Each structure stands twice: as structure tokens, then as C-alpha cells.
């Protein structure tokens, strides 16, 4: 199924070529020849390939380049210059015979300008990678004319055994080896290569053969970048197995990379496989949670449970038990691996569709679509259109701070009958209604794209509501969600320091209009007798006026209240009353919990669901929050007594009060920094150093705290969880009871303090 409305070339590219599944650079290897791009298309189930010349390019400030040439000589590679129309500073396009020549020219530009490539003040631009440049110049995109089901996706999951004394497998240790590789695809095919039947080398060899036989367009895995593929690659190297996974029969290549995920930067090992894409469903889950904030963790099992796709009879094995289970019951481990890979496929089915649609629009290969930020994607769409129209590109504006969106809190505690009103696409609506766009966008591409996206989204949403089948409904839901993501990112692009068309004055104007509108909404609610509770950028939680009468009278009064509220707003602003909740617990700004009509509890904010808490604290916190929402605070002392009895009576398993830490650096590097006074001591690293075993970066350490006093130096009193003896328990009961008391005091006594103190109490600042 494909979109059945006109696909505008500004959004979808000026080339309508169908069913492209991947493209990759083929270097000439001969200075007399040009590089080329190999394009793979899936036609009638068969993968076909075509090859065409590729001329990489750079955009430069022509005036400055003339000056550089006079002082430093010509660019040391063959180049074709083209003057571009328009007023942008980057007004000359340089074209090269090969990607190597392009990179050589970039180094020359960096040297003569004294400004490194990628800097926002660099007076030159080499856009993206070879495939991105090819797609920009040709107007091609992936997957046009295809449905998501047409994509050949192969899922991979591995299981490993661990050497004695370690918790997490490390591919560099000879004793830590792969004992299972599970695979699946959309046809219903699954396979598990078992270490009970094959040697590790044979498992890897069979894996390579199956990838080539199945010829997937996409290889998926959950944490595939930072676990499965690095592990497979390292073990293959140790065992002399060539990892020939590419469509050209070439090896998988890896390099360190980073991606932005909200305010975090995630480091990972990027794998590039010729003619194929690698997609990590862990990253897709993290991206999903940026907006939803509803996942308890990003682990495969928790994500599957959250989305309701975990099979009722699926096999579960604790990670620490895998080595033991392989020895005692290998068939059970193989069932576990098969269930893992099937859950990975189901998560990909759910979370990949939006990225599939984005790939039909963007000048990125599918793998990059899944890891690039939205502002970067908008920048690429803008650049593609300017390159197509042979128009000069501006330099990015200078980054500066400005006042952001309006957030406020009017109430802390528990309130009943809470409603939510949301401004649909607040900032995009303001940008369109007030005609706010980058001043350097002389072709008016930016507002045109925003308007088109809004129209497309409305069309897709209408078709989703009219859909007669689940397949059709899922397609249009993915489509409208994709458009929504882009629409809501246009404001962020204005304040994107690396955006060629950014405009901080315009961004400041948008937030000023937003604050004014939201304050107008607050006044309108108050005049109508409603009580605002919290406002967060584009939505307001409030308690409606106290309507009187029976159910019918209250419903009618609520409808009138909403209609009057809409009339009080400026033209062009669409709102949606999108939530009614039995109760809301407001803890502090952007940290609250909601009790839905069906009894489900939604918890928002790191202060209320910190992943840094021990498991017993998290479960206590969840139960305490539910009690507050349900008006059962009187039961909280009994809940506290229950947990106190479990801790005091040594009835909790070590997994309830231990912490697991992944070592980000080698313990030796940590020790060197400690010696120089460059950091505080950390329990996990101290334990790794004291163990006498060779821990490496990426290894995990699970520990608990011993002793008898509640105030202890954690790194001095930490002990490996693997050394915990249930017959001779030594966990520090006083220490853990103090943590429980801290949570109880916060949520039962109703004592409020400033936000930073509350966060510290919840997350625990323990290390010296």
C-alpha cells in the first residue's frame, strides 16, 4: 500500500523512481575513472542492481575561495566549478570525480580557511555521506511505491555464555562465546543456530550463509549496535571467520559513532553492510519514549510487555542464568533465543513504520533515517531543494539563548477529575498564522514544506479514521505520525545551531507568541471557573468548573464550557480536549502521575520513576503513587511496614536491593584518574579492581551494600551480588531502611522542598 495522494517533490524528491531498497558507494580505485553508486531495487520479489556515475560536491563561499587560491594555490584535485544563483554565502558548487577527491578538497578548505569541517562558521559545506549526496542531487528516495510489508527484514539475536566470576559476556575473553544465534523474517521463517549442535565457528559460518541466502534489505536487532554485531564481529575475527554480509560479498565494516537522543548523546558502534541497512530497535524504543515517557526500561522484554506483544507462553531466562541453563537444558535456551528474535520482529513492526515513510521523503539511506535527529532531517530537505534549484545556501546564524516555552505549576498534591487541553501543533500553527520562517530562506521552501506537511497529515489522519482494515489503518497511522513528527520539529530547526537556514530571532518570536497564547488560555479557563493545575509548553491540566445536576446536565454543561473556551481563542488555533483522568498527583514541575478512567497509572518525569533506584524502591514508589491517586494514603504506613519487615527479616532477594552498573571505561583508566584526583570513587569500578579479574569497558557489575550503619561509604562497603550468600546474609539493612524512610517521608508526610533536593533524595547521591 502506498500513499494515494499527490507526493509533492519538495517533500518527496524530484525523482519518482520506484522500489529502491538501498544504495551504496562503489569507489573506482583508479584516478582516471569516476566513482559510482550501486542502486538496489526490489522488483517482483527479486533484487536488481544498477550502477551510475557519481560526482560528489561541496558548497563554498566563492569570494573567499578566490582569495584562498591566490594565497595558497589551487585545490589539489580536479574540480568543476558552478556559480549558484541567489544571495546565500555558499554560492559556488564544486564537483569532484571521486569521494576521495571530495574529502581531500575538504581537508584543503579546512587548512586554508583555518576552520574545521562541520563547524557552524565554516565557509564551506560538504553535505553528508556519498549516498546522501547522491540522493540530494538525483532527487531519489528509498521505498517509493512499496509498502512496509514489501521490505525484507531479517532479525538477529545472540546468546552467550560467560566465564566464571563475570556477570556479562565480553567477546575478547576466550571463555565467553556465542552459543546461539536466532534469526527470523517476515515470511514466518525462523532458525536458531545452536551451540549444542555446532561449534562457535560453525555457528558464525552458518550465520553468514543464511544472511546471504535470505538477502535481507534490513538487519534488525535489539541493542544490535552495542552488543550483537560487535560480539559477532569480534568472535568471527578471533575464529578466522570472514563476516561477508554485504550484497557485494564484502565484510561488515564498523566504526565508533554517536547519535543525539533528546538531551543525551549516545555512543555506539556503527556497522555498515554494503547494500543493506542495520536498524537497532533499542534506539527506536528510546526515541519513542522521548515523547511518550511511558517505558519502564528499554530492555527487550519490558518493551514487549509494554506494547502487549509478548507471547503468553514465551520462555524467560534471567541473564545471570544463561550459562547454567545452556549446560543443563540447552533446548530451553534455544526457545528463549527464538522468542527474543520474534519479539524483536514485533517491536520493529510497530516502531519502524514511521521511519519507513520518512525514508520515502528524505535524502538519507534507511539506516541513517533511523539515527538522525529531526532538525538534521529538515536541514537535508532544505539543502536538497536548494541544490536542485541551483541556488546558493546561507551560512548558519550565530547561536544565542532566548526565552523558551511557557511552563508553570499552580498546584502540588492530589486533585480529582482532572482534564487536559492541548493546542494541536502549537508552534507550527503559530508559525503559519504569523508567517514566521527563516529570513535566509529566499525560496520560501520552509513555510511551503510546513504547510504541505500539515495538509498531508490531515489527509492521512482522515484516511486512517476511514480505514476498513487494520493493515490500511496502520499504514495511514504511520503516515500521519511521520508528518506530525516533522511538523513539530520545524520550530526546533529554527534554533538548531548547525542548521544552514536557522534563525534564532524567528525562534524567539515563536516562543513569545506561544507564551502569550497559553496565558490567554489560562485566563479563559479561570474566567470560566476552571482551575489550572500545570502547563507545559502546549497543554494544560485543569479541573473544570463544578457543574451541578445529573449526568446529562453535567455533560451538557461541559460541552458548553468547551465551546465557549474555543471561541475565546484567536483564529487559526486548534485545540483538543484529549484527556480526562480520575486523579492527578502533582509532585513538581514536569513530574506528575495520572490515574486513567480504566485504573491505569501514567507516571511522568525522572523524579518519580528514576531508573537509578534499586528495584524495591521503584516498586514501593509505584505502589505509593497509586495509593495517593486512589485516595488511600492511610494505607501507606502499612505498605511501609510491609517493606520494612521484608528488609529487616532478610526476606528480599538480592536482585531487589542491588544495583547494576555498566563500566563505561576500563578499570585501569578509572584508577589512573583517581590517582590524579580527576574523579570521585565509584563502587562498581572499585569492585572490578579488587576482584582480580580482567574487567573491560562494557562489562557489568552488580553490587549491594554491606555494613550495619545507615550512613556508610558505599564504595568501601560494596560487595558483588554474585558473592551474596542467602544462608549468611550481610546486606546493610539500616542503609536500605534509610532509603525506604526517605521515600516514605517524601510521599506520605507531604513535606515539599525545592526540586533539586527532591531529585537528590530519590536518585541517591552515594559515592564519595
Amino acid at each position: 500500500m502506498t500513499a494515494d495522494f499527490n507526493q509533492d517533490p519538495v517533500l518527496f524528491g524530484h525523482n519518482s523512481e520506484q522500489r529502491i531498497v538501498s544504495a551504496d558507494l562503489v569507489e573506482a580505485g583508479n584516478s582516471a575513472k569516476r566513482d559510482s553508486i550501486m542502486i538496489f531495487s526490489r522488483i517482483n520479489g527479486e533484487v536488481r542492481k544498477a550502477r551510475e556515475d557519481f560526482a560528489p560536491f561541496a558548497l563554498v563561499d566563492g569570494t573567499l575561495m578566490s582569495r584562498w587560491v591566490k594565497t595558497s594555490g589551487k585545490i589539489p584535485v580536479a574540480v568543476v566549478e558552478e556559480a549558484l544563483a541567489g544571495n546565500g554565502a555558499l554560492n559556488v558548487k564544486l564537483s569532484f570525480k571521486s569521494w576521495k577527491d571530495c574529502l581531500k578538497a575538504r581537508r584543503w578548505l579546512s587548512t586554508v580557511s583555518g576552520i574545521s569541517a562541520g563547524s557552524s562558521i565554516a565557509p564551506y559545506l560538504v553535505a553528508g555521506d556519498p549516498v546522501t549526496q547522491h540522493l540530494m542531487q538525483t532527487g531519489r528516495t528509498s521505498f517509493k511505491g512499496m509498502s512496509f510489508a514489501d521490505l525484507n527484514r531479517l532479525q538477529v539475536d545472540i546468546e552467550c555464555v560467560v566465564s566464571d566470576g563475570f556477570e556479562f559476556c565480553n567477546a575478547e575473553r576466550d571463555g565467553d562465546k556465542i552459543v546461539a544465534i536466532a534469526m527470523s523474517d517476515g515470511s514466518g521463517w525462523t532458525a536458531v543456530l545452536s551451540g549444542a549442535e555446532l561449534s562457535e565457528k560453525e555457528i558464525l559460518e552458518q550465520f553468514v550463509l543464511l544472511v546471504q541466502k535470505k538477502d535481507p534489505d534490513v538487519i534488525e536487532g535489539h541493542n544490535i549496535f552495542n552488543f550483537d554485531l560487535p560480539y559477532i564481529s569480534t568472535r568471527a575475527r578471533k575464529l578466522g571467520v570472514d563476516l561477508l554480509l554485504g550484497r557485494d560479498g564484502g565484510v561488515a565494516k564498523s566504526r565508533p559513532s554517536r547519535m543525539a537522543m533528546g538531551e543525551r548523546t549516545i555512543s555506539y558502534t556503527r556497522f555498515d553492510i554494503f547494500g543493506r541497512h542495520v536498524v537497532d530497535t533499542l534506539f527506536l524504543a528510546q526515541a519513542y519514549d522521548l515523547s511518550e515517557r511511558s517505558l519502564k526500561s528499554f530492555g527487550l522484554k519490558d518493551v514487549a510487555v509494554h506494547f502487549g506483544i509478548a507471547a503468553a507462553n514465551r520462555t524467560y531466562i534471567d541473564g545471570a542464568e544463561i550459562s547454567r541453563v545452556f549446560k543443563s537444558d540447552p533446548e530451553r535456551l534455544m526457545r528463549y533465543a527464538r522468542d527474543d528474535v520474534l519479539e524483536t520482529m514485533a517491536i520493529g513492526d510497530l516502531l519502524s513504520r514511521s521511519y519507513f515513510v520518512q525514508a520515502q521523503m528524505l535524502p538519507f539511506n534507511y539506516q541513517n533515517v533511523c539515527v538522525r535527529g529531526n532538525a538534521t532531517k529538515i536541514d537535508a530537505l532544505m539543502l536538497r531543494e536548494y541544490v536542485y534549484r541551483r541556488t546558493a545556501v546561507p551560512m548558519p546564524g550565530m547561536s544565542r539563548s532566548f526565552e523558551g516555552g511557557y511552563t508553570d505549576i499552580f498546584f502540588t498534591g492530589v486533585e480529582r477529575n482532572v482534564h487536559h487541553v492541548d493546542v494541536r501543533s502549537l508552534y507550527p500553527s503559530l508559525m503559519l498564522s504569523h508567517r514566521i520562517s527563516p529570513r535566509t530562506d529566499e525560496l520560501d521552501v520552509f513555510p511551503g514544506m510546513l504547510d504541505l506537511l500539515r495538509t498531508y497529515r490531515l489527509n492521512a489522519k482522515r484516511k486512517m479514521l476511514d480505514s476498513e482494515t487494520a493493515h490500511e489503518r496502520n499504514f495511514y497511522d504511520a503516515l500521519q505520525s511521520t508528518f506530525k513528527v516533522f511538523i513539530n520539529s520545524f520550530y526546533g530547526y529554527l534554533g538548531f545551531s548547525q542548521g544552514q537556514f536557522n534563525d534564532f530571532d524567528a525562534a524567539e518570536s515563536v516562543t513569545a507568541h506561544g507564551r502569550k497564547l497559553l496565558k490567554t488560555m489560562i485566563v479563559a479557563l479561570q474566567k470560566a471557573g476552571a482551575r489550572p493545575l500545570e502547563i507545559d509548553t502546549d497543554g494544560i491540566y485543569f479541573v473544570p468548573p463544578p457543574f451541578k445536576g445529573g449526568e446529562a446536565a453535567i455533560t451538557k454543561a461541559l460541552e458548553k464550557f468547551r465551546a465557549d473556551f474555543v471561541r475565546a481563542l484567536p483564529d487559526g488555533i486548534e485545540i483538543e480536549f484529549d484527556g480526562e483522568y480520575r486523579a492527578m498527583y502533582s509532585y513538581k514541575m514536569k513530574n506528575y502521575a495520572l490515574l486513567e478512567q480504566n485504573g491505569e497509572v501514567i507516571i511522568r518525569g525522572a523524579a518519580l520513576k528514576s531508573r537509578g533506584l534499586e528495584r524495591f524502591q521503584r516498586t514501593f514508589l509505584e505502589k505509593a503513587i497509586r495509593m495517593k491517586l486512589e485516595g488511600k494514603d492511610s494505607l501507606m504506613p502499612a505498605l511501609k511496614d510491609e517493606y520494612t519487615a521484608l528488609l529487616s527479616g532478610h526476606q528480599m532477594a538480592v536482585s531487589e536491593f542491588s544495583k547494576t552498573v555498566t563500566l563505561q571505561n576500563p578499570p585501569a583508566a578509572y584508577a589512573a584518574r583517581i590517582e590524579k584526583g580527576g574523579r570521585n570513587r565509584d563502587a562498581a569500578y572499585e569492585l572490578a579492581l579488587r576482584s582480580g579479574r580482567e574487567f573491560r569497558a562494557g562489562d557489568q557489575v552488580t553490587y549491594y551494600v554491606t555494613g550495619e550503619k545507615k550512613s556508610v561509604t558505599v564504595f568501601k562497603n560494596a560487595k558483588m551480588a554474585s558473592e551474596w550468600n542467602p544462608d549468611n546474609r550481610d546486606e546493610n539493612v539500616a542503609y536500605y531502611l534509610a532509603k525506604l524512610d526517605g521515600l516514605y517521608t517524601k510521599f506520605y508526610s507531604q513535606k515539599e522542598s525545592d526540586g533539586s533536593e527532591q531529585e537528590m533524595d530519590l536518585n541517591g547521591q552515594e559515592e564519595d
Side-chain angles (χ1 to χ4, degrees):
M1 181 185 299
T2 58
D4 53 358
F5 46 82
N6 180 46
Q7 295 185 338
D8 187 275
V10 175
L11 283 177
F12 291 89
H14 291 268
N15 188 318
S16 60
E17 188 171 341
Q18 304 279 296
R19 307 189 72 81
I20 295 172
V21 292
S22 64
D24 259 302
L25 173 69
V26 179
E27 296 188 89
N30 183 329
S31 59
K33 295 182 178 180
R34 287 188 174 278
D35 284 352
S36 58
I37 294 289
M38 186 72 75
I39 300 167
F40 295 91
S41 303
R42 187 171 287 281
I43 311 294
N44 297 324
E46 176 186 342
V47 176
R48 302 178 186 176
K49 59 184 181 180
R51 188 165 166 167
E52 65 180 57
D53 286 346
F54 167 55
F57 70 94
L59 303 177
V60 298
D61 183 320
T63 302
L64 289 177
M65 194 182 74
S66 297
R67 189 185 309 164
W68 299 330
V69 169
K70 286 180 181 179
T71 57
S72 304
K74 292 183 179 180
I75 297 178
V77 294
V79 61
V80 176
E81 295 186 24
E82 177 189 356
L84 302 174
N87 301 313
L90 306 183
N91 56 7
V92 173
K93 180 182 178 185
L94 307 178
S95 297
F96 310 95
K97 287 197 304 183
S98 70
W99 185 245
K100 286 182 179 178
D101 280 0
C102 182
L103 297 181
K104 192 172 183 179
R106 186 174 68 179
R107 288 193 293 271
W108 180 85
L109 290 165
S110 174
T111 299
V112 297
S113 68
I115 303 172
S116 61
S119 169
S120 61
I121 62 171
Y124 59 93
L125 173 67
V126 177
D129 56 84
V131 172
T132 295
Q133 288 210 356
H134 168 79
L135 296 176
M136 276 188 178
Q137 294 187 94
T138 63
R140 288 187 172 98
T141 62
S142 302
F143 310 150
K144 282 193 178 96
M146 296 176 63
S147 71
F148 184 69
D150 293 333
L151 202 59
N152 187 4
R153 299 158 47 230
L154 179 75
Q155 294 76 38
V156 176
D157 183 82
I158 70 171
E159 304 299 337
C160 311
V161 293
V162 186
S163 302
D164 290 343
F166 294 91
E167 298 177 36
F168 193 72
C169 44
N170 192 309
E172 294 290 352
R173 280 194 293 267
D174 290 336
D176 295 12
K177 63 180 182 178
I178 297 171
V179 294
I181 298 183
M183 306 167 73
S184 64
D185 68 16
S187 71
W189 170 84
T190 61
V192 181
L193 305 173
S194 170
E197 302 168 359
L198 303 169
S199 69
E200 186 181 25
K201 183 176 183 179
E202 289 171 332
I203 288 175
L204 291 167
E205 290 170 339
Q206 287 296 312
F207 168 68
V208 171
L209 290 174
L210 283 172
V211 170
Q212 292 295 349
K213 179 181 178 181
K214 291 296 179 179
D215 194 19
D217 307 317
V218 185
I219 297 176
E220 295 176 340
H222 201 79
N223 202 20
I224 193 170
F225 280 130
N226 278 341
F227 180 64
D228 299 83
L229 281 181
Y231 206 97
I232 288 171
S233 179
T234 301
R235 299 306 295 177
R237 172 176 52 79
K238 280 180 167 288
L239 295 169
V241 177
D242 292 327
L243 211 58
L244 306 177
L245 302 179
R247 274 190 161 132
D248 62 346
V251 298
K253 299 177 181 179
S254 64
R255 58 182 170 86
S257 190
R258 294 184 303 170
M259 67 174 293
M261 190 69 72
E263 297 178 353
R264 297 171 54 215
T265 298
I266 297 175
S267 298
Y268 71 101
T269 302
R270 179 189 174 96
F271 277 79
D272 291 295
I273 302 174
F274 191 90
R276 311 191 200 282
H277 311 280
V278 184
V279 171
D280 197 326
T281 56
L282 173 66
F283 289 174
L284 303 189
Q286 289 174 308
Y288 166 86
D289 199 55
L290 276 178
S291 58
E292 299 300 325
R293 302 290 183 186
S294 56
L295 291 174
K296 289 185 177 180
S297 85
F298 303 128
L300 176 66
K301 283 75 174 174
D302 285 337
V303 174
V305 169
H306 174 84
F307 288 118
I309 55 181
N313 60 345
R314 84 97 74 209
T315 302
Y316 288 99
I317 300 175
D318 187 87
E321 293 294 303
I322 286 176
S323 296
R324 183 189 63 77
V325 172
F326 176 68
K327 292 177 182 178
S328 62
D329 189 357
E331 282 304 310
R332 183 179 170 218
L333 182 62
M334 300 310 130
R335 291 195 301 272
Y336 170 77
R338 189 186 302 273
D339 288 341
D340 274 3
V341 83
L342 290 174
E343 283 188 348
T344 300
M345 178 167 58
I347 292 169
D349 286 345
L350 191 67
L351 298 182
S352 295
R353 293 175 186 270
S354 173
Y355 298 94
F356 174 84
V357 177
Q358 290 180 44
Q360 296 177 329
M361 301 166 58
L362 292 163
F364 293 140
N365 69 32
Y366 180 53
Q367 179 165 331
N368 282 340
V369 168
C370 294
V371 296
R372 293 286 187 265
N374 290 328
T376 301
K377 293 172 181 177
I378 293 172
D379 201 50
L381 290 174
M382 296 287 292
L383 282 171
R384 178 177 66 190
E385 189 62 17
Y386 271 70
V387 168
Y388 174 77
R389 299 198 202 179
R390 290 179 163 81
T391 303
V393 170
M395 293 276 291
M398 292 297 293
S399 178
R400 67 173 178 84
S401 60
F402 56 90
E403 189 174 355
Y406 179 35
T407 60
D408 206 348
I409 187 169
F410 307 97
F411 171 84
T412 57
V414 178
E415 189 56 82
R416 308 288 165 195
N417 187 30
V418 174
H419 293 219
H420 186 259
V421 59
D422 179 73
V423 183
R424 292 177 181 169
S425 302
L426 171 61
Y427 287 165
S429 297
L430 292 170
M431 290 160 69
L432 288 171
S433 62
H434 293 277
R435 300 184 180 278
I436 302 172
S437 63
R439 58 181 173 76
T440 55
D441 177 22
E442 58 186 290
L443 299 180
D444 284 335
V445 174
F446 187 89
M449 285 198 303
L450 181 56
D451 196 26
L452 279 169
L453 282 166
R454 187 171 68 167
T455 300
Y456 279 179
R457 190 198 173 206
L458 291 174
N459 288 344
K461 197 169 184 179
R462 184 172 61 253
K463 291 178 182 296
M464 178 189 73
L465 296 173
D466 294 340
S467 296
E468 296 181 357
T469 66
H471 179 66
E472 188 179 12
R473 186 163 52 253
N474 288 339
F475 170 77
Y476 284 113
D477 187 28
L479 204 60
Q480 70 88 18
S481 295
T482 299
F483 295 145
K484 179 182 178 181
V485 165
F486 277 111
I487 288 168
N488 289 331
S489 299
F490 270 62
Y491 155 73
Y493 176 78
L494 293 175
F496 177 45
S497 61
Q498 300 295 316
Q500 295 296 138
F501 301 84
N502 66 14
D503 189 330
F504 287 84
D505 289 341
E508 187 172 49
S509 176
V510 172
T511 58
H513 284 293
R515 292 192 301 274
K516 181 179 179 181
L517 173 63
L518 289 167
K519 289 175 182 177
T520 299
M521 293 172 66
I522 290 291
V523 170
L525 286 171
Q526 291 172 331
K527 283 184 176 180
R531 286 191 297 111
L533 303 178
E534 181 165 337
I535 184 168
D536 185 5
T537 305
D538 59 1
I540 304 171
Y541 289 98
F542 68 95
V543 177
F547 303 124
K548 297 181 179 180
E551 183 177 343
I554 291 175
T555 299
K556 186 176 180 179
L558 181 60
E559 290 174 353
K560 183 180 184 303
F561 157 77
R562 290 176 172 178
D564 291 343
F565 181 74
V566 170
R567 281 193 291 271
L569 300 179
D571 292 338
I573 300 300
E574 296 184 16
I575 65 166
E576 181 178 11
F577 292 93
D578 59 350
E580 296 182 26
Y581 305 95
R582 287 163 53 187
M584 176 180 185
Y585 170 48
S586 178
Y587 180 58
K588 65 174 184 175
M589 183 83 75
K590 296 185 180 181
N591 287 268
Y592 55 86
L594 300 164
L595 180 62
E596 295 192 290
Q597 301 294 341
N598 62 4
E600 293 293 320
V601 173
I602 300 171
I603 300 176
R604 307 285 195 199
L608 293 182
K609 59 173 187 177
S610 171
R611 296 185 178 102
L613 300 177
E614 287 89 345
R615 185 184 296 176
F616 84 89
Q617 288 182 280
R618 293 198 301 271
T619 57
F620 176 86
L621 186 56
E622 290 168 3
K623 291 177 181 178
I625 289 172
R626 176 175 285 279
M627 287 177 176
K628 294 189 76 66
L629 287 167
E630 294 179 346
K632 299 177 181 178
D633 290 54
S634 60
L635 299 180
M636 213 175 294
L639 177 67
K640 195 234 181 183
D641 289 344
E642 176 189 341
Y643 275 72
T644 299
L646 290 171
L647 284 166
S648 301
H650 297 286
Q651 297 178 47
M652 277 190 182
V654 68
S655 59
E656 291 294 318
F657 50 79
S658 59
K659 278 189 174 182
T660 298
V661 175
T662 301
L663 303 181
Q664 300 300 318
N665 300 293
Y670 159 84
R673 288 190 64 192
I674 289 291
E675 188 173 346
K676 295 177 181 178
R679 63 160 296 164
N680 294 332
R681 292 186 180 273
D682 180 277
Y685 284 95
E686 293 290 327
L687 286 169
L689 289 169
R690 294 202 301 260
S691 71
R693 298 190 293 273
E694 189 181 359
F695 278 86
R696 306 168 189 265
D699 278 338
Q700 291 183 334
V701 174
T702 302
Y703 68 88
Y704 66 102
V705 178
T706 64
E708 297 180 352
K709 297 180 179 180
K710 67 178 182 179
S711 296
V712 294
T713 302
V714 173
F715 78 86
K716 292 181 179 179
N717 288 267
K719 190 173 181 180
M720 292 279 195
S722 57
E723 298 175 6
W724 181 73
N725 183 354
D727 297 322
N728 187 22
R729 301 175 65 128
D730 59 351
E731 65 266 21
N732 189 330
V733 173
Y735 170 82
Y736 290 114
L737 284 176
K739 287 197 165 198
L740 178 64
D741 288 341
L743 282 180
Y744 176 75
T745 300
K746 281 291 176 189
F747 293 97
Y748 181 64
S749 69
Q750 295 288 318
K751 292 179 182 177
E752 302 292 348
S753 59
D754 68 89
S756 60
E757 182 183 335
Q758 292 179 15
E759 186 104 11
M760 184 171 67
D761 286 347
L762 284 173
N763 290 327
Q765 305 298 312
E766 302 171 348
E767 306 303 339
D768 292 342

